Amino acid sequence: MQIHPELAAALAQLSGLPPIDYQTMPIAGIRQVLDHLPMPPSGLEMHEVRDLSMGSPESPLAARLYRPTADDNMPMVVFFHGGGWCIGTIDTHDGLCRHIALLTGMNVCSIDYRLAPEHAFPAPLNDAYAATRWVAAHAHELHSDPSRILVAGDSAGGNLAIATCLKARHDQWNGICGQLLLYPVCDARADSASYSLYGDMPLLSSTNMQQMWAYYHPAQPVSPLASILENESLAGLPPAVVVTAELDILRDEGNELARRLAVDGVEVMHLQAQGMVHGFASFSTALPHVASILRDACTRLQLLVGTQESTA
């Protein structure tokens, strides 16, 4: 149970933060701490970074567009940030979105979806799906190719990405051509071996994940649009790159997601990051080893959608 030395040193710098307990602390206080963590600056220049507003004037949805190059008609990655559906912003994931754009050569649109518990399931998913459809409909205005729309996310954002594909399948909308899923939340049952093995690791504990589920989906039973592995079939979903972390409570459900996708005939590339804990990708702009893992994942995503390999 050895955390990679680079990541362990970075995590040690966060050790002075006050302890976070989702079961006893108000969510506003948790956001005040975690949404303002001193994350490493990206230092990654884009051709364009632009804030957007989508949806209706009555229900606007904020987003941020990242364009790594001046090229038009590029693939577009619609990105949903992690944070257990209840924390996180487009600002907390600014560096990661820039890095994905740089490594893939694709445009990225990061979505500021509504958060639980104020907006429980299905509100965040409805935002994610509506945003994906909006981006596809306005692709040309965003210098993007409407035939090459992908979804991506980390943790709870990965869950929203998969669920967005499930809603698209239900609506018989074939507008999504790929997925990048970084240690996604997949199973509300939370009974895998990795939950027991790594329940007290940094950045995501089993007790905090339990409370995140309670915030996001308080009603029972849990919908298979939230607890992804409870779907009878994942057939017909877009090709996926699934990245799991060796020392993460979500490792086993992510591994099972990759297996289920393959069994159901979905093209999938699975990468398990050794020595990594949950949330490691957020350190990619500061840690060379983490950057190499993200580069590997992005190269696999390029292969799935048939784009040229990035030289970044």
Side-chain angles (χ1 to χ4, degrees), residues 117-200:
E118 298 92 335
H119 305 284
F121 176 89
L125 173 56
N126 288 343
D127 286 353
Y129 184 60
T132 305
R133 297 295 298 257
W134 188 94
V135 168
H138 295 79
H140 291 307
E141 302 166 34
L142 304 175
H143 306 277
S144 302
D145 181 353
S147 71
R148 292 187 292 172
I149 304 295
L150 304 92
V151 291
D154 64 318
S155 191
N159 175 282
L160 293 176
I162 310 164
T164 292
C165 294
L166 288 168
K167 283 180 71 68
R169 182 182 70 173
H170 178 269
D171 290 350
Q172 298 183 321
W173 179 57
N174 298 318
I176 303 172
C177 70
Q179 307 176 71
L180 173 61
L181 310 172
L182 303 173
Y183 31 85
V185 186
C186 303
D187 195 344
R189 293 168 292 190
D191 57 1
S192 66
S194 58
Y195 258 87
S196 300
L197 290 170
Y198 309 119
D200 293 320

Side-chain angles (χ1 to χ4, degrees), residues 8-9 28 41 61 70 94 100 105 126 145 166 180 190 228 240 292 300 306:
L61 193 62
D94 182 79
I100 291 172
N126 288 343
D145 181 353
L166 288 168
L180 173 61
I228 306 298
S292 70
R300 295 173 189 228

Side-chain angles (χ1 to χ4, degrees), residues 1-188:
M1 208 159 60
Q2 184 84 29
I3 301 177
H4 189 278
E6 275 187 6
L7 183 57
L11 293 173
Q13 296 179 19
L14 302 177
S15 61
L17 292 173
I20 300 294
D21 186 343
Y22 281 76
Q23 296 180 316
T24 61
M25 293 179 63
I27 193 64
I30 294 173
R31 289 173 184 155
Q32 184 62 33
V33 173
L34 297 184
D35 288 353
H36 298 87
L37 285 178
M39 297 303 293
S42 73
L44 300 177
E45 294 296 327
M46 297 281 104
H47 170 73
E48 180 187 17
V49 177
R50 175 169 32 121
D51 287 342
L52 307 171
S53 180
M54 56 183 66
S56 66
E58 297 77 21
S59 301
L61 193 62
R64 183 171 296 160
L65 171 68
Y66 301 86
R67 294 176 61 208
T69 72
D71 295 343
D72 283 318
N73 210 43
M74 298 301 293
M76 169 67 86
V77 179
V78 184
F79 183 88
F80 311 112
H81 66 76
W85 307 283
C86 59
I87 64 169
T89 67
I90 55 178
D91 291 325
T92 61
H93 286 65
D94 182 79
L96 179 56
C97 287
R98 288 172 183 260
H99 211 175
I100 291 172
L102 183 65
L103 292 172
T104 62
M106 303 177 191
N107 297 334
V108 173
C109 189
S110 181
I111 308 302
D112 195 21
Y113 58 88
R114 290 173 293 173
L115 298 177
E118 298 92 335
H119 305 284
F121 176 89
L125 173 56
N126 288 343
D127 286 353
Y129 184 60
T132 305
R133 297 295 298 257
W134 188 94
V135 168
H138 295 79
H140 291 307
E141 302 166 34
L142 304 175
H143 306 277
S144 302
D145 181 353
S147 71
R148 292 187 292 172
I149 304 295
L150 304 92
V151 291
D154 64 318
S155 191
N159 175 282
L160 293 176
I162 310 164
T164 292
C165 294
L166 288 168
K167 283 180 71 68
R169 182 182 70 173
H170 178 269
D171 290 350
Q172 298 183 321
W173 179 57
N174 298 318
I176 303 172
C177 70
Q179 307 176 71
L180 173 61
L181 310 172
L182 303 173
Y183 31 85
V185 186
C186 303
D187 195 344

